[in-house]
Amino acid sequence: VSDNCCIVLDRLVEGAPRPEDFRLERRPLPEPGAGEMLVRNLFASVDPGSRGRLSGRASYAPPLRPGQVMEAQTVGLVVQSDGGRFAEGDLVAGALGLREFAVTKGRGMRRIADWEQPISTAIGIYGTPGMTAYFGMLDVGQPEPGQTVLVSAAAGTVGSAAGQLAALRGARVVGIAGGAEKCRYLREALGFAGAIDYKAADDLADAIGETCPDGVDVYFDNVGGVILQTALGHMADGGRIVICGQISQYNREGTAPEGLVDPHPFIYRRLRMQGFVVFDYADRFEAARREMRGWIEAGRLQFREHVLDGLERAPEAYSGLFQGENFGRGLVRIGELA
Ligand SMILES: NC(=O)c1ccc[n+]([C@@H]2O[C@H](COP(=O)([O-])OP(=O)(O)OC[C@H]3O[C@@H](n4cnc5c(N)ncnc54)[C@H](OP(=O)(O)O)[C@@H]3O)[C@@H](O)[C@H]2O)c1
């Protein structure tokens, strides 16, 4: 191997990301220096949250410039280590971006446990999205037995785990997702009490009212916009809204945001709304992973992966997130372990 395939940002993104916003580039294979490692990536993720860095404007992370490698979470094999944090042959998870090989000092990376199988789960259910579901639902949302929990983007990576975790706490869970197949999965495979196909519902408010007749105690919001405002109208007294993501708004930069237009229910329903950033819980990730492992191995927590083969398919996988084309954790397979 002498070159290194990378997916780079071709131009700043306006509106919904398109595959043409990225290009594949072959770069020279990087060489690790002292204290560094060469990692061969095997899987990379596509994440809706990356969208904030693609418009050229500063967000909580600096913007990506055209020509820079697109960010992604990765699982890879350490193929060379010059006194680096990990040894040759270690499988490591991190955020090395959409590229075959990367040189790194290993900051912010971890060696994955042998029970994290398949290894892609290290950036899925055992990675950022799984942790987001865990802390967002259990720490921020705090559902109680018998309460009604509503989750949007519920068939997605974060949403499906968040809903199942609420059910494990004894809550009655209703999901909102796009399409009959995803809704059937929520009801039949995951045992949700209800599922609303927001793309087919004539009236979303009626659909929430019918599936949540006692009101919503916890609304776990991944999408924002009209769905958030509609859910607000169905909150129960003392309800909590967890602002996890706002995917319906990520492509609307420069236009008036949609969303909460009337906060009145906060007063008469005594509601609370809280956002969170998963990385604030980093010192508890290891304990959370172990607890999730128990549920997964007992068959009480399920997950799906949506894997496209080949790094070159990452732009398609990424733009597909905003069209609901992924049904499970959005991943690309870059290489095989053997
Ligand atoms: N707070 C944090 O620390 C944190 C950390 C990680 C992720 N997040 C957020 O968590 C959310 C879910 O992320 P994920 O990785 O699990 O992605 P995902 O749910 O696996 O994929 C995104 C899904 O969002 C739905 N969607 C896309 N555009 C939509 C729209 N306009 N309106 C309604 N639904 C739409 C689609 O499902 P349908 O087919 O159902 O439309 C799509 O499959 C994102 O908002 C992300 O930014 C937050």
Side-chain angles (χ1 to χ4, degrees):
V1 191
S2 62
D3 63 5
N4 185 17
C5 280
C6 305
I7 301 292
V8 304
L9 183 64
D10 188 57
R11 57 182 176 208
L12 295 178
V13 178
E14 273 178 52
R18 288 169 296 179
E20 310 85 79
D21 294 329
F22 304 90
R23 65 171 189 268
L24 191 144
E25 247 184 43
R26 286 175 200 283
R27 296 185 171 177
L29 194 67
E31 291 241 356
E36 292 183 333
M37 297 163 296
L38 180 67
V39 177
R40 179 164 71 84
N41 287 327
L42 303 170
F43 284 96
S45 67
V46 286
D47 295 272
S50 306
R51 178 65 184 84
R53 297 190 61 196
L54 305 183
S55 304
R57 300 178 193 89
S59 61
Y60 66 93
L64 214 67
R65 298 285 166 204
Q68 288 186 315
V69 173
M70 174 63 178
E71 72 173 14
Q73 314 250 317
T74 49
V75 181
L77 182 70
V78 177
V79 289
Q80 206 180 322
S81 181
D82 188 356
R85 247 186 90 190
F86 307 107
E88 268 171 47
D90 280 352
L91 283 168
V92 289
L96 297 179
L98 292 176
R99 57 182 131 207
E100 280 181 291
F101 292 91
V103 159
T104 173
K105 287 192 162 61
R107 227 184 108 232
M109 295 182 69
R110 66 183 182 95
R111 186 150 60 94
I112 72 174
D114 51 10
W115 46 263
E116 292 178 64
Q117 291 294 338
I119 59 170
S120 47
T121 57
I123 51 171
I125 194 79
Y126 293 124
T128 306
M131 298 297 107
T132 302
Y134 183 100
F135 292 101
M137 182 57 83
L138 301 183
D139 260 63
V140 185
Q142 298 184 12
E144 288 169 21
Q147 289 193 328
T148 297
V149 173
L150 180 68
V151 180
S152 54
T157 320
V158 173
S160 63
Q164 292 177 82
L165 292 171
L168 282 168
R169 281 279 189 274
R172 180 182 177 276
V173 182
V174 173
I176 302 176
E181 194 193 356
K182 289 183 179 181
C183 287
R184 198 177 318 115
Y185 169 72
L186 296 178
R187 276 189 301 258
E188 293 176 8
L190 304 189
F192 282 24
I196 300 167
D197 178 354
Y198 75 97
K199 289 181 173 166
D202 294 328
D203 187 317
L204 183 63
D206 286 350
I208 297 176
E210 281 161 23
T211 48
C212 306
D214 300 327
V216 175
D217 298 292
V218 178
Y219 172 48
F220 190 98
D221 185 31
N222 284 311
V223 305
V226 173
I227 295 180
L228 170 59
Q229 178 64 43
T230 309
L232 178 64
H234 292 272
M235 297 302 293
D237 287 346
R240 297 161 312 281
I241 299 177
V242 181
I243 300 293
C244 174
Q246 298 278 286
I247 192 169
S248 75
Q249 302 301 298
Y250 295 170
N251 298 327
R252 292 177 48 88
E253 254 185 327
T255 64
E258 303 164 329
L260 287 182
V261 286
D262 178 13
H264 258 99
F266 279 92
I267 304 168
Y268 59 83
R269 295 279 179 213
R270 289 100 169 151
L271 305 179
R272 278 189 291 134
M273 178 160 86
Q274 189 183 328
F276 72 101
V277 173
V278 65
F279 302 110
D280 293 347
Y281 297 90
D283 59 349
R284 293 171 56 197
F285 282 1
E286 206 47 60
R289 264 195 279 279
R290 283 175 200 286
E291 198 173 5
M292 306 247 294
R293 175 193 182 188
W295 289 321
I296 289 168
E297 289 180 357
R300 303 177 72 197
L301 176 59
Q302 300 180 49
F303 61 91
R304 284 180 62 111
E305 299 187 327
H306 188 98
V307 185
L308 297 189
D309 262 305
L311 183 63
E312 67 282 1
R313 298 194 67 189
E316 174 196 337
Y318 181 67
S319 60
L321 289 174
F322 299 89
Q323 317 299 331
E325 284 166 12
N326 67 307
F327 188 178
R329 175 58 162 160
L331 295 163
V332 288
R333 186 182 284 109
I334 304 177
E336 301 287 341
L337 192 51

